[in-house]
Amino acid sequence: MEPATFTEDSPEFPPVQGGFALISSDGIRFHINSSILAHSSRFFNDLFSLPSSEQSTTRGRDQTTLSMTQNSETLRQLLTFIDPNKPRPRAIQAHTIVNLIEAACLYRVPAVVHWFQDTYDVAWSVGREKVTERSFISEHPLLSLALCFRLGFKRGVEQSILELVECNVDKWDEDVEINGRLFNYCRKLRQERTMFYQGMVEKLSGHEYSNSHQIKDTNKEICMSCAVSRAQWTYDLMQLATEEPKWSLISGKVESTEWCSICGLSWIQDLSNACASSLVR
């Protein structure tokens, strides 16, 4: 390996006495104590344990510098988990997490993996108004699934699948490199969930509850207001079942129905009975 070249030093990791230098692929040099590197990274622990002649062959003539294949942003983030004096990021950034995880696996830095497993499903309060920022898994379920599968994190895989089954359909469009069989399995579950809710909506829209909670056929003459409302209600439910088949949204829409004093129809008020009756019929 040729001696590493660099364009500038990282302001966050400046030269230190007895330090070791890592140079990113885009020419930024990061300084860190070799003992800290060896303690936090099994890769560097093995590297520094090699005999001097083998270390020289591995690192080139300059035995205090090593050229890395990672860019400066990935290397900076990785070193924040290696250096105990640096604050770790609170939330996961979707645009950098893949490279960070890959680097952590390559250099065997378990702190990154543990941080991801502790953080991927956490929602944060940000700003003075304490606005809740959605968790990484809820914002990026497909990416979360790919990373949890890559790390062999069973609980994360299961939670990501559950999130994918009921999330907004737009979140399936994320450009993620993922196992094909796993992706197809999740898509099949999603399709089954959608078809189940669509069938339920069709049955619910075909019957109404009377004031005595007896099912009435919708062929009964109803007022124009109810006819329009029911058509819109059915359309909205079908949209939910297709775009975001989440039970809390479906049930909330069903529970929002109303009673009409003109034609005597009572929009479904007892959700559990309504759904049970619709599925039986």
Side-chain angles (χ1 to χ4, degrees), residues 6-21:
F6 69 96
T7 57
E8 61 180 297
D9 285 313
S10 166
E12 295 181 64
F13 294 89
V16 294
Q17 185 176 3
F20 187 78

Side-chain angles (χ1 to χ4, degrees), residues 23-168:
I23 299 182
S24 66
S25 60
D26 49 347
I28 306 300
R29 185 168 63 176
F30 297 80
H31 298 266
I32 189 168
N33 188 281
S34 58
S35 298
I36 294 177
L37 269 178
H39 177 74
S40 301
S41 166
R42 297 169 191 167
F43 171 89
F44 286 104
N45 182 63
D46 292 344
L47 178 64
F48 297 147
S49 299
L50 292 174
S52 299
S53 58
E54 293 186 44
Q55 287 191 40
S56 178
T57 301
T58 304
R59 289 187 270 170
R61 296 179 183 177
D62 186 352
Q63 296 185 34
T64 62
T65 302
L66 183 66
S67 293
M68 309 287 281
T69 58
Q70 290 72 33
N71 61 33
S72 56
E73 178 59 23
T74 301
L75 198 53
R76 182 193 66 79
Q77 289 192 349
L78 182 68
L79 291 178
T80 61
F81 288 92
I82 292 177
D83 189 340
N85 298 315
K86 301 294 182 182
R88 295 180 180 180
R90 188 176 66 166
I92 299 171
Q93 301 298 320
H95 66 285
T96 60
I97 187 59
V98 174
N99 290 338
L100 177 59
I101 291 292
E102 289 300 325
C105 292
L106 176 61
Y107 298 112
R108 291 177 286 171
V109 182
V112 175
V113 177
H114 295 157
W115 165 79
F116 176 80
Q117 293 178 343
D118 292 339
T119 311
Y120 78 103
D121 60 348
V122 175
W124 302 100
S125 296
V126 296
R128 293 182 177 180
E129 298 180 357
K130 299 297 181 182
V131 177
T132 300
E133 186 175 288
R134 299 186 68 187
S135 63
F136 175 76
I137 187 176
S138 62
E139 287 295 313
H140 306 277
L142 197 59
L143 180 55
S144 176
L145 176 62
L147 292 174
C148 290
F149 185 77
R150 166 74 173 83
L151 297 172
F153 183 29
K154 182 180 178 181
R155 185 171 70 90
V157 169
E158 293 173 347
Q159 287 183 292
S160 299
I161 290 175
L162 290 175
E163 191 71 34
L164 277 169
V165 167
E166 62 179 21
C167 71
N168 189 283

Side-chain angles (χ1 to χ4, degrees), residues 23 66 80 99 175 185 201 204 232 234 251:
I23 299 182
L66 183 66
T80 61
N99 290 338
D175 186 14
Y185 172 72
V201 172
L204 284 176
Q232 183 64 50
T234 303
S251 62

